[in-house]
Amino acid sequence: MKGDEALNDDIKCCCMEKIVPLIGLELCEVLNDPTIDTFGTKKFGEIIITDNRNLMEKILAVNADFSARMMKRYRQQLAVGKDELKVIPEREMSAIKYRLFIKCQEVLDDFVAENRGTVLTEKQIEDLIKDFTHSGIEIIDIKSKRYNYPIIDDDLMRKIILDLINECYLSFDKEGLYATE
């Protein structure tokens, strides 16, 4: 019963929103959708940034003579990517970025081990971005069997990778290697 017809001991007399604060609890929305990658979202928020350089600073750190034309191209791709990525909700994007970050850390670790103390060529930098992109496509394809992610084509994946590099998560040298667990 509700309203005037309800008895004081009738639990149906009030809506939960009114009862909860009176008994010292907090009401929250429970999301039990197993297709949402809440683990990835939570873990991305826990990453402590240790490499504060942006995309251009990271490139110049490994190749001081990098061509201005290529720099302009990367900046354009990054800018277009930032606009395109605005349509993906922040929760989904952080889960995607966490999955990419973890997978690309492995790629970067192998790359750094193979290229110790060398100045990188433009081709090596571009190849590493391609390796990051390919690895990102693979891991999202695998995780998509369990979680729902938006459709991400190769071009959009590349833009997410450039954004991760620019946001201080990925790099071309050992400074971009983060301790994971």
Side-chain angles (χ1 to χ4, degrees):
M1 302 177 107
K2 292 184 179 183
D4 294 334
E5 297 175 9
L7 301 172
N8 286 339
D9 61 348
D10 189 345
I11 193 72
K12 296 179 185 177
C13 72
C14 300
C15 67
M16 286 302 293
E17 286 86 8
K18 292 181 180 175
I19 294 173
V20 169
L22 297 174
I23 57 175
L25 296 177
E26 197 174 298
L27 189 64
C28 64
E29 185 179 332
V30 177
L31 295 175
N32 287 329
D33 186 348
T35 62
I36 295 174
D37 187 357
T38 53
F39 176 81
T41 299
K42 179 179 179 273
K43 293 299 272 184
F44 187 71
E46 294 173 1
I47 297 171
I48 297 169
I49 294 174
T50 60
D51 183 2
N52 292 311
R53 300 170 297 166
N54 67 26
L55 174 64
M56 299 309 132
E57 292 168 330
K58 290 175 184 180
I59 290 173
L60 291 173
V62 295
N63 182 332
D65 298 323
F66 198 81
S67 91
R69 181 184 52 79
M70 285 301 292
M71 284 278 209
K72 182 178 178 185
R73 179 183 296 171
Y74 285 138
R75 281 194 298 269
Q76 287 173 332
Q77 290 172 352
L78 180 61
V80 169
K82 283 192 175 289
D83 279 345
E84 279 187 63
L85 296 175
K86 286 179 183 175
V87 300
I88 299 175
E90 185 179 337
R91 173 188 238 169
E92 290 177 25
M93 183 53 69
S94 61
I96 291 166
K97 285 182 175 181
Y98 174 75
R99 300 301 181 174
L100 298 179
F101 170 74
I102 293 299
K103 184 64 179 173
C104 291
Q105 280 287 286
E106 295 172 10
V107 173
L108 181 58
D109 193 27
D110 293 343
F111 180 82
V112 167
E114 294 169 11
N115 297 284
R116 271 181 207 232
T118 60
V119 173
L120 301 182
T121 65
E122 288 182 19
K123 182 175 180 354
Q124 286 174 304
I125 292 169
E126 178 59 29
D127 287 347
L128 184 55
I129 292 171
K130 286 178 181 176
D131 288 347
F132 285 156
T133 303
H134 179 72
S135 295
I137 290 166
E138 281 182 354
I139 195 63
I140 294 302
D141 186 48
I142 290 167
K143 292 297 180 183
S144 289
K145 292 178 175 124
R146 181 168 181 191
Y147 303 112
N148 284 337
Y149 293 114
I151 296 170
I152 301 174
D153 59 25
D154 295 13
D155 181 61
L156 189 57
M157 181 61 73
R158 178 184 174 88
K159 291 169 182 167
I160 296 171
I161 293 296
L162 289 174
D163 196 38
L164 275 172
I165 296 168
N166 191 60
E167 288 181 346
C168 310
Y169 292 97
L170 296 176
S171 184
F172 307 105
D173 54 17
K174 66 180 181 181
E175 283 75 19
L177 291 174
Y178 286 53
T180 54
E181 315 289 336

